[in-house]
Amino acid sequence: MLASLVFYTFGFILILSSLFVITARNPVHSVLFLILGFFNAAGLFVLLGAEFLAFILAIVYVGAVAVLFLFVVMMLDISFADLRKDAMQYVPVGLLVGGVLLIELTMVFMSWQASPELAQNIAHPIDAAAQANNTKALGLILYTDYLLIFQMSGMVLLVAMIGAIVLTLRGRSGVRRQDVSKQVSIKRADVVEVQKVTSGTGI
Amino acid sequence: MVELWTTYGMEFVFIIAHIMAIIVPLLVSVAYLTYAERKIMGAMQMRQGPMTVGPFGLLQPLADGIKLFSKEIIIPSSAHRVVFVMAPMLTFFLSLIAWAVIPVNKDWALANINVGILYLFAISSLGVYGVLMAGWASNSKYAFLGGLRSAAQMVSYEVSMGLVIVTVLLCVGSLNLQDIVLVERTWWMKALLFPMFIIFLVSILAETNRAPFDLPEGESELSGGFLVEYSAMTFALFFLGEYANMILMAAMAVILFLGGWLPPFGLSGAWIDWVPGVVWFGLKTFGILFFYVWVRATMPRYRYDQLMRLGWKIFLPFTLIWVLVIAGCLLAFGALPS
């Protein structure tokens, strides 16, 4: 009973905050509601017994991705009243895309059939040998059966990261950079010279 | 109704009592950490520190608390009110809930969960939101710059902190905090983990915005950073949150590297076994907190680009290589935890 109460609380807040993400007038408030949504999704994962996924969701999405979102959105200087003025002209396109997605999702879910071993799979989602904790179970599956896919997705992320760096890197001229090793390795003799100056003559 | 009470009621009361048993000593330690900091810094700078309120100034934290309670809360007219008030509450709240998993003695944690270290890491990485929200909601450029600095700083140092935690986990083979304390480490594991301990100590200074990495506050150039618009209780909550976070990070270092509640240096004997584990835990945590204060009294503040350079160009590559070194050694010596 308590578990279902907690489930409905998390689910209700998740839906509500997702709704506020798209309806909030202020983009920063949108991001804050998104973070609340992530949290409640993590809570749902905990209820499912997938605590590793829950905390990875909190660390990666809330701790890193959403910080960068907030970082960017906070620095935007856009008048949202102006944007909202011509927002109506996109409504037909939006409705079209949304309608297509809705139809596709309905078709997918209509054709779903529950597997006959469903009850047994829910009771033992992973091998009995790996029942100990789901961190270990996830690692065992990820690094054996799905190694290729795992490595490939890592490669895709690496390429995306290098691409982002290449796109934003620009060699600016005329910037004086600090070279710490050069500064530290400098010797007294390189920069200071003591000279005896006799009066009446210059150097 | 009776059934509901017997199933959930007693447990509820028990959990509330347990939470109180954690939070009350924590808040007292926070109050006396500020006193200790002022006394230690005073001694290091040939001053007396707080002297007049109570014997040896011992009642000074209470006087400060009463002062902050009774002051007026000022909310700037152009601030975003809800976010402005939520930010300090969030900071304080996060610094308290992390304590749910800290084992101060064997089986003394409120929740002994399987992924305790991930929980701690997740909560500590959320600390940035309080600062970021405060910086934005104040609607002032100094506060905003402080918030941005802090966001960049905390995200940068979290990366190397995460890798340091990975090296410990490789040696221990469990994400459970009690297991991390109890698993025996061989001498070469300790030697290999020592550089990671140093990096962790420096990173937690940056993560809690303490000197020499207190750029988000930076009173000389940002006149207090994200805190500039806060007053009275809203300020006090930030202040308490910051100090509670310091104690939390010190406790995390103790659990990861210093053997938690176990006696130091593997000592044993009738006298030493008689001392309860929580005393050793407290002493070790205080040792790290002393290091915090010592650094604050000694080091000048870093420049912002130096801070970023240290995080991304020195700590990150070094910890990344060290993860490989430790994994390789574990594999070579056949010491991988099964």
Side-chain angles (χ1 to χ4, degrees):
Chain A
M1 192 203 84
L2 200 63
S4 54
L5 190 73
V6 175
F7 170 79
Y8 283 116
T9 315
F10 278 141
F12 182 69
I13 299 177
L14 176 56
I15 292 170
L16 212 64
S17 58
S18 319
L19 207 64
F20 280 133
V21 171
I22 50 174
T23 55
R25 288 188 171 276
N26 195 321
V28 173
H29 292 172
S30 286
V31 179
L32 292 176
F33 277 118
L34 184 69
I35 294 161
L36 186 63
F38 282 145
F39 249 113
N40 285 285
L44 289 177
F45 272 128
V46 171
L47 280 185
L48 284 173
E51 68 263 21
F52 183 75
L53 281 183
F55 288 114
I56 289 295
L57 183 76
I59 291 171
V60 174
Y61 281 88
V62 184
V65 175
V67 172
L68 298 181
F69 274 10
L70 203 58
F71 207 95
V72 172
V73 167
M74 270 172 26
M75 290 200 282
L76 289 178
D77 185 25
I78 298 174
S79 165
F80 282 88
D82 289 354
L83 275 183
R84 222 163 273 280
K85 249 189 306 194
D86 355 300
M88 283 312 282
Q89 72 188 43
Y90 297 112
V91 166
V93 184
L95 279 179
L96 188 71
V97 173
V100 169
L101 269 179
L102 185 68
I103 292 167
E104 281 179 352
L105 280 176
T106 337
M107 279 161 70
V108 166
F109 279 101
M110 292 291 268
S111 61
W112 257 16
Q113 281 173 346
S115 151
E117 300 112 47
L118 182 70
Q120 195 222 330
N121 282 351
I122 288 175
H124 299 285
I126 42 179
D127 283 349
Q131 278 289 313
N133 63 56
N134 62 48
T135 313
K136 198 174 167 186
L138 215 66
L140 283 177
I141 292 175
L142 212 55
Y143 290 99
T144 52
D145 298 352
Y146 298 99
L147 182 65
L148 184 67
I149 297 170
F150 183 64
Q151 294 287 336
M152 268 160 59
S153 45
M155 276 303 179
V156 170
L157 285 176
L158 181 67
V159 170
M161 192 174 83
I162 294 171
I165 293 171
V166 169
L167 281 176
T168 52
L169 187 73
R170 52 195 172 120
R172 275 186 295 179
S173 58
V175 181
R176 294 185 62 179
R177 291 198 190 282
Q178 188 183 20
D179 187 347
V180 175
S181 59
K182 206 166 131 191
Q183 283 183 336
V184 171
S185 63
I186 221 157
K187 294 280 186 300
R188 184 172 182 275
D190 299 337
V191 284
V192 184
E193 193 180 350
V194 181
Q195 291 210 339
K196 268 255 184 306
V197 184
T198 49
S199 60
T201 59
I203 295 170
Chain B
M1 195 64 213
V2 173
E3 197 184 349
L4 190 72
W5 169 252
T6 46
T7 38
Y8 298 119
M10 284 311 289
E11 203 174 347
F12 188 71
V13 169
F14 177 72
I15 287 181
I16 295 284
H18 203 149
I19 290 172
M20 281 299 155
I22 295 172
I23 286 181
V24 172
L26 176 65
L27 291 182
V28 173
S29 336
V30 166
Y32 280 91
L33 176 60
T34 65
Y35 172 78
E37 178 171 30
R38 293 165 72 177
K39 273 290 189 195
I40 296 168
M41 294 240 314
M44 283 175 179
Q45 295 164 352
M46 308 273 274
R47 297 183 283 114
Q48 294 272 12
M51 275 295 284
T52 44
V53 189
F56 308 107
L58 272 171
L59 298 178
Q60 183 70 42
L62 290 179
D64 286 343
I66 292 167
K67 181 195 76 177
L68 283 169
F69 262 115
S70 54
K71 278 189 167 179
E72 185 194 353
I73 297 175
I74 299 166
I75 298 178
S77 55
S78 64
H80 302 256
R81 292 182 72 94
V82 179
V83 182
F84 185 83
V85 176
M86 247 168 63
M89 278 154 53
L90 183 77
T91 305
F92 186 62
F93 169 75
L94 285 174
S95 68
L96 293 186
I97 59 169
W99 282 88
V101 296
I102 298 278
V104 290
N105 202 344
K106 191 160 171 47
D107 299 324
W108 270 27
L110 176 65
N112 182 18
I113 58 175
N114 273 336
V115 287
I117 191 74
L118 280 185
Y119 174 84
L120 275 186
F121 193 58
I123 298 294
S124 73
S125 68
L126 295 185
V128 65
Y129 284 111
V131 179
L132 212 47
M133 279 161 69
W136 177 77
S138 302
N139 224 343
S140 128
K141 40 174 135 3
Y142 295 109
F144 188 61
L145 285 173
L148 288 185
R149 277 184 173 192
S150 151
Q153 173 179 337
M154 285 174 147
V155 170
S156 314
Y157 277 83
E158 245 164 50
V159 182
S160 52
M161 247 175 81
L163 286 170
V164 168
I165 292 173
V166 166
T167 59
V168 177
L169 296 182
L170 275 175
C171 293
V172 173
S174 168
L175 297 167
N176 182 304
L177 291 172
Q178 290 217 15
D179 291 349
I180 290 174
V181 171
L182 289 174
V183 168
E184 293 265 339
R185 301 176 190 184
T186 53
W187 64 268
W188 54 267
M189 273 185 201
K190 285 177 187 164
L192 280 176
L193 285 177
F194 187 71
M196 294 291 104
F197 176 55
I198 305 289
I199 287 182
F200 193 79
L201 276 186
V202 178
S203 298
I204 59 177
L205 288 177
E207 188 73 7
T208 48
N209 294 329
R210 290 281 305 179
F213 306 116
D214 54 347
L215 291 133
E217 286 165 41
E219 66 278 310
S220 56
E221 66 256 47
L222 289 175
S223 65
F226 63 93
L227 288 170
V228 74
E229 304 290 351
Y230 281 90
S231 58
M233 271 321 282
T234 49
F235 173 80
L237 285 182
F238 267 122
F239 194 75
L240 290 175
E242 186 188 329
Y243 279 79
N245 260 332
M246 277 169 67
I247 305 180
L248 175 74
M249 288 291 170
M252 210 161 142
V254 166
I255 288 170
L256 286 173
F257 294 102
L258 301 181
W261 64 86
L262 302 172
F265 310 116
L267 292 174
S268 62
W271 264 96
I272 287 169
D273 292 338
W274 176 78
V275 177
V278 63
V279 173
W280 293 123
F281 192 90
L283 282 175
K284 288 172 179 177
T285 311
F286 186 75
I288 300 221
L289 289 171
F290 182 83
F291 167 78
Y292 265 91
V293 178
W294 190 9
V295 168
R296 184 180 163 192
T298 317
M299 308 289 262
R301 184 177 295 134
Y302 259 56
R303 215 174 53 207
Y304 197 69
D305 61 314
Q306 292 171 331
L307 171 93
M308 283 297 165
R309 183 175 167 275
L310 184 70
W312 288 106
K313 292 192 176 170
I314 299 173
F315 281 2
L316 182 60
F318 184 70
T319 43
L320 209 54
I321 290 170
W322 216 250
V323 169
L324 291 183
V325 168
I326 288 194
C329 284
L330 288 171
L331 200 64
F333 292 119
L336 275 175
S338 52

